[in-house]
C-alpha cells in the first residue's frame, strides 16, 4: 500500500495530539484486537439489515474491488488464496498491522495507522458480509458483464464455437486464448472495466468450472492474439456492436 497515502506528511505538532490518545487507549485497555472485534460486530450488524438487489450487488462488488486501505489490502490478499476461514483472515490482518506498527517511531503515524486499519476494516467487512451472506460470493459472468443479456449471448457464442459444453464446462485446452477473449471483452467495455482481473478470474472459474491461476492470466493477456483469435474478436465485435 502507498505509504504516503496512508501516513501523509509528518508534522511535529501531530505528536502532541497523538501521544495523549495513545495513553488514553492504553489506560482504557483498548487493544487493537478488542477494537477490531467491535468493528467486525458493527459491520456484521449493518450488513444484516441490507436487502440486496441485483443492482446493489453489482455496485457493492465494484466498491469492494476499489477499496484501498491497510485492512482491505491485506484482507483481499489473503482472501484470494481461498484456503483460510474468516478467523484466520482476521488473524492475518492483525499480524500485518502489528508488524507495521512495530516499525513506526512516530505516535502520530501509529494513530493514523490505527484509524486507517479500523475504519478500513469496518468498510471492508460491511461489504464482505453483505455480499457473502446474500450471494455467497459466487460471482459469475452475469455479474461482471454490461447489459441485461450480454452474458447469455456470450455463453451461447462460446457453446456454438465449442469452447464450452452444455453445462458450461471448458472443453478447450488452450486457456491462454480463452483468457484473451475475455480480456477483449473487458477492453471493449462488454465486461465492466471497473472489475479487476482477480474478480474476472473468479467469475470465469465459477462459470466454467475450472481454475485460472493469476500467473497464467497475467502472461496470457500480454501475448499478441493469433489469427484465429482475431477472427473471434471480429465476430464478437459484430455480435456486441463494438465500434473500433
Amino acid at each position: 500500500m502507498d505509504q504516503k497515502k496512508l501516513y501523509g506528511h509528518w508534522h511535529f505538532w501531530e505528536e502532541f495530539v497523538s501521544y495523549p490518545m495513545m495513553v488514553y487507549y492504553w489506560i482504557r485497555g483498548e487493544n487493537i484486537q478488542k477494537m477490531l472485534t467491535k468493528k467486525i460486530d458493527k459491520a456484521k450488524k449493518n450488513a444484516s439489515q441490507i436487502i440486496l438487489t441485483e443492482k446493489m450487488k453489482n455496485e457493492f462488488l465494484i466498491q469492494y474491488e476499489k477499496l484501498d486501505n491497510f485492512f482491505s489490502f491485506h484482507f483481499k490478499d489473503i482472501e484470494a488464496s481461498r484456503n483460510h476461514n474468516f478467523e484466520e483472515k482476521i488473524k492475518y490482518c492483525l499480524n500485518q498491522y502489528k508488524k507495521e506498527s512495530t516499525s513506526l517511531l512516530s505516535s502520530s503515524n501509529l494513530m493514523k495507522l490505527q484509524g486507517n486499519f479500523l475504519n478500513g476494516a469496518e468498510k471492508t467487512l460491511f461489504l464482505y458480509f453483505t455480499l457473502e451472506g446474500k450471494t455467497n460470493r459466487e460471482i459469475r459472468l452475469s455479474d461482471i458483464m454490461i447489459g441485461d443479456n450480454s452474458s447469455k449471448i456470450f455463453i451461447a457464442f462460446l457453446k456454438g464455437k465449442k469452447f464450452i459444453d452444455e453445462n458450461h464446462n471448458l472443453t478447450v485446452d488452450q486457456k491462454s486464448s480463452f483468457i484473451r477473449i475475455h480480456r477483449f471483452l473487458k477492453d471493449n467495455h462488454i465486461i465492466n472495466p471497473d472489475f479487476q482481473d482477480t474478480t474476472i478470474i473468479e467469475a470465469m472459474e465459477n462459470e466454467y468450472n475450472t481454475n485460472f491461476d493469476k500467473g497464467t492470466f497475467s502472461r496470457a493477456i500480454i501475448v499478441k492474439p493469433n489469427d484465429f483469435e482475431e477472427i473471434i474478436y471480429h465476430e464478437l465485435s459484430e455480435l456486441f456492436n463494438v465500434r473500433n
Side-chain angles (χ1 to χ4, degrees), residues 86-223:
F86 180 74
E87 288 73 22
E88 290 170 335
K89 294 172 187 175
I90 294 299
K91 185 177 180 180
Y92 174 81
C93 292
L94 274 169
N95 287 338
Q96 295 304 310
Y97 171 87
K98 291 173 181 177
K99 188 184 299 183
E100 177 74 12
S101 64
T102 54
S103 69
L104 299 177
L105 300 176
S106 163
S107 60
S108 63
N109 280 351
L110 184 58
M111 294 308 296
K112 288 176 184 177
L113 174 64
Q114 178 178 294
N116 185 283
F117 180 76
L118 293 173
N119 292 330
E122 185 176 340
K123 292 177 183 177
T124 304
L125 295 176
F126 165 72
L127 293 171
Y128 173 82
F129 287 134
T130 301
L131 295 167
E132 181 76 15
K134 308 295 170 50
T135 68
N136 200 27
R137 295 191 55 74
E138 283 291 319
I139 304 168
R140 305 186 78 88
L141 285 184
S142 58
D143 298 315
I144 64 173
M145 295 186 75
I146 296 173
D148 294 335
N149 296 313
S150 295
S151 61
K152 293 180 181 178
I153 294 170
F154 182 54
I155 289 295
F157 176 84
L158 294 177
K159 287 180 181 178
K161 294 294 182 182
K162 307 300 181 184
F163 281 109
I164 59 176
D165 63 20
E166 288 302 315
N167 295 317
H168 298 195
N169 295 308
L170 189 66
T171 57
V172 295
D173 295 325
Q174 293 297 323
K175 287 185 178 181
S176 295
S177 180
F178 195 65
I179 288 168
R180 284 192 289 275
I181 291 172
H182 289 73
R183 184 65 179 198
F184 171 82
L185 297 181
K186 179 179 179 179
D187 289 342
N188 288 280
H189 293 203
I190 299 163
I191 286 178
N192 192 327
D194 286 331
F195 286 114
Q196 296 181 4
D197 288 343
T198 51
T199 303
I200 296 173
I201 291 171
E202 185 176 354
M204 290 174 66
E205 289 181 337
N206 291 332
E207 193 71 52
Y208 307 123
N209 305 310
T210 191
N211 294 320
F212 296 90
D213 66 87
K214 290 182 180 179
T216 301
F217 196 95
S218 299
R219 290 190 296 271
I221 61 178
I222 62 174
V223 174

Side-chain angles (χ1 to χ4, degrees), residues 221-243:
I221 61 178
I222 62 174
V223 174
K224 184 178 179 180
N226 56 39
D227 292 342
F228 172 73
E229 290 167 27
E230 291 288 2
I231 293 172
I232 294 295
Y233 297 168
H234 178 72
E235 293 181 8
L236 286 171
S237 296
E238 291 187 339
L239 191 62
F240 289 105
N241 296 316
V242 173
R243 305 298 180 195

Side-chain angles (χ1 to χ4, degrees), residues 26-107:
W26 177 74
I27 292 173
R28 286 185 59 187
E30 291 272 24
N31 62 36
I32 191 66
Q33 189 164 355
K34 186 184 294 185
M35 289 188 281
L36 179 58
T37 298
K38 291 180 179 179
K39 293 293 186 181
I40 294 171
D41 292 341
K42 184 177 179 182
K44 191 177 293 185
K45 179 180 178 181
N46 290 339
S48 68
Q49 298 171 355
I50 297 295
I51 300 175
L52 195 67
T53 64
E54 194 68 22
K55 181 175 181 291
M56 288 172 63
K57 181 182 73 173
N58 292 335
E59 291 173 352
F60 280 5
L61 283 169
I62 292 172
Q63 288 178 36
Y64 186 79
E65 284 299 315
K66 288 189 171 183
L67 285 170
D68 185 21
N69 56 69
F70 189 87
F71 182 89
S72 67
F73 179 82
H74 294 291
F75 186 81
K76 290 193 289 185
D77 194 36
I78 192 68
E79 187 186 21
S81 74
R82 302 187 181 186
N83 294 320
H84 300 79
N85 60 34
F86 180 74
E87 288 73 22
E88 290 170 335
K89 294 172 187 175
I90 294 299
K91 185 177 180 180
Y92 174 81
C93 292
L94 274 169
N95 287 338
Q96 295 304 310
Y97 171 87
K98 291 173 181 177
K99 188 184 299 183
E100 177 74 12
S101 64
T102 54
S103 69
L104 299 177
L105 300 176
S106 163
S107 60

